[in-house]
Amino acid sequence: MATFFGEVLSVYSRAVEEDDEDLDENEEDEQIRRELEGKREVCLHWNPEVSEALRSGNKFHCSDFILASGVNASRFLSVYILTSANWDTVGHASVWNERSRPLNGQTSEESACVFYRHKDNPSLLICQVTCYIAEDQLFQWAEKVFDCLQHRDLKVTVLSDSSVADYRTADCLCNSSVPFLRSLHTTNYSGLPVCPSLEQPNIVTGLPAAVLNHCQVHHIAAVVYQCYSDIIGPDSVTMETYKPALTRLGKSIQLDWSPSADVFRKFVKTADIQSNLYI
């Protein structure tokens, strides 16, 4: 602007500076958002043999894929199936989010979920998931995992933990009936479920729901067995409830119907007294 005597002076414009600050903040926010999106991406890590096969375009020829979602579902597989020496670890998935927690001295990546393949029958694949997977990661997880599997003749069995407090029914639940199983399957599933179907208005949520939805869209035979229990932590009775779900795989998978006490002690920890409501 000009003074009375015609001298030109530079004038401080706060509006221009605020616009520059907003632009810098928007760019910084965008960079942080991109970094978070990259960090939250689900990454699959396979052993060298599997990685080479996938790079060559050879997907897993899988006849049965068993997914265990939750502590009791996962430890059921550990106690009754994976204790045998017939399984190889073939990979794991890294899933980072706001609730990621390492387990048993493992890194969060290693404890996210682990894939096992049967040595004598490589068409059998097992996945244990004991970590939290956020909503924006669920369908990403399903797409990436199933993109590695051949869909022809594929059968998917999902074992899922749920609290009995989330079960909606007009009838009274007796203590003797808990824990119990309910099932939900895709239209392509032709088998006979080993338990009653999940009644309305009950729903399946989380990773089991994402997997079931993916299988329904891609015409894959899949069934979810949801175990409703009044025990949140590892519990031997809740684990045993899953037994009927794998009876149809009896010829393919050898279940240890009577695990030793040492095996149970390894996977079932005594409940912490601080978590007991009635002391």
Side-chain angles (χ1 to χ4, degrees):
M1 95 182 173
T3 65
F4 177 79
F5 298 102
E7 181 182 4
V8 178
L9 301 176
S10 60
V11 178
Y12 168 77
S13 175
R14 180 169 180 81
V16 174
E17 184 168 299
E18 287 179 348
D19 290 342
D20 291 340
E21 289 178 356
D22 290 342
L23 182 60
D24 292 339
E25 288 179 0
N26 290 337
E27 291 178 351
E28 185 178 354
D29 291 343
E30 182 65 22
Q31 181 179 356
I32 293 174
R33 186 183 66 80
R34 287 195 300 267
E35 290 177 354
L36 282 175
E37 285 181 353
K39 196 172 183 181
R40 294 173 72 89
E41 182 180 0
V42 176
C43 298
L44 301 181
H45 307 275
W46 302 105
N47 65 20
E49 178 186 353
V50 174
S51 297
E52 182 62 30
L54 292 173
R55 279 195 296 267
S56 302
N58 298 320
K59 298 183 178 182
F60 273 108
H61 177 64
C62 189
S63 62
D64 285 285
F65 176 45
I66 303 172
L67 169 65
S69 176
V71 175
N72 280 303
S74 295
R75 297 195 180 185
F76 163 74
L77 296 183
S78 295
V79 171
Y80 289 92
I81 296 178
L82 295 174
T83 49
S84 70
N86 296 327
W87 298 88
D88 286 327
T89 304
V90 293
H92 71 275
S94 58
V95 182
W96 181 91
N97 53 57
E98 61 277 4
R99 288 171 57 179
S100 298
R101 293 290 185 275
L103 297 175
N104 299 328
Q106 295 176 313
T107 66
S108 58
E109 290 188 356
E110 292 172 340
S111 61
C113 73
V114 184
F115 295 90
Y116 302 90
R117 185 170 61 178
H118 200 279
K119 293 180 179 179
D120 301 327
N121 188 356
S123 65
L124 297 178
L125 189 67
I126 281 178
C127 178
Q128 289 179 306
V129 180
T130 54
C131 70
Y132 171 76
I133 300 180
E135 289 186 5
D136 60 312
Q137 298 171 318
L138 293 173
F139 291 100
Q140 182 188 163
W141 188 99
E143 288 179 357
K144 289 196 172 185
V145 170
F146 281 92
D147 189 50
C148 298
L149 308 179
Q150 291 185 10
H151 293 180
R152 184 178 180 182
D153 299 326
L154 173 62
K155 298 181 183 65
V156 179
T157 302
V158 181
L159 310 180
S160 172
D161 291 351
S162 187
S163 172
V164 73
D166 297 328
Y167 184 72
R168 301 290 178 261
T169 179
D171 301 326
C172 177
L173 286 176
C174 301
N175 292 333
S176 58
S177 64
V178 180
F180 58 90
L181 283 179
R182 289 295 183 266
S183 65
L184 194 63
H185 58 82
T186 61
T187 54
N188 287 74
Y189 183 80
S190 59
L192 186 64
V194 299
C195 66
S197 297
L198 186 63
E199 307 92 338
Q200 294 182 348
N202 296 290
I203 59 174
V204 174
T205 60
L207 185 59
V211 170
L212 195 67
N213 182 76
H214 184 92
C215 292
Q216 177 68 22
V217 171
H218 292 84
H219 309 291
I220 300 172
V223 59
V224 173
Y225 289 107
Q226 188 146 286
C227 180
Y228 289 93
S229 176
D230 54 352
I231 304 295
I232 298 176
D235 172 58
S236 60
V237 177
T238 303
M239 292 181 196
E240 290 179 358
T241 308
Y242 286 110
K243 280 183 178 181
L246 298 184
T247 51
R248 71 173 187 84
L249 298 175
K251 295 181 179 179
S252 303
I253 297 180
Q254 183 178 0
L255 273 71
D256 184 0
W257 295 103
S258 302
S260 66
D262 291 337
V263 172
F264 270 116
R265 275 194 294 267
K266 181 179 179 181
F267 294 103
V268 182
K269 296 180 180 179
T270 303
D272 191 353
I273 192 170
Q274 281 84 1
S275 66
N276 193 340
L277 181 62
Y278 305 100
I279 300 178

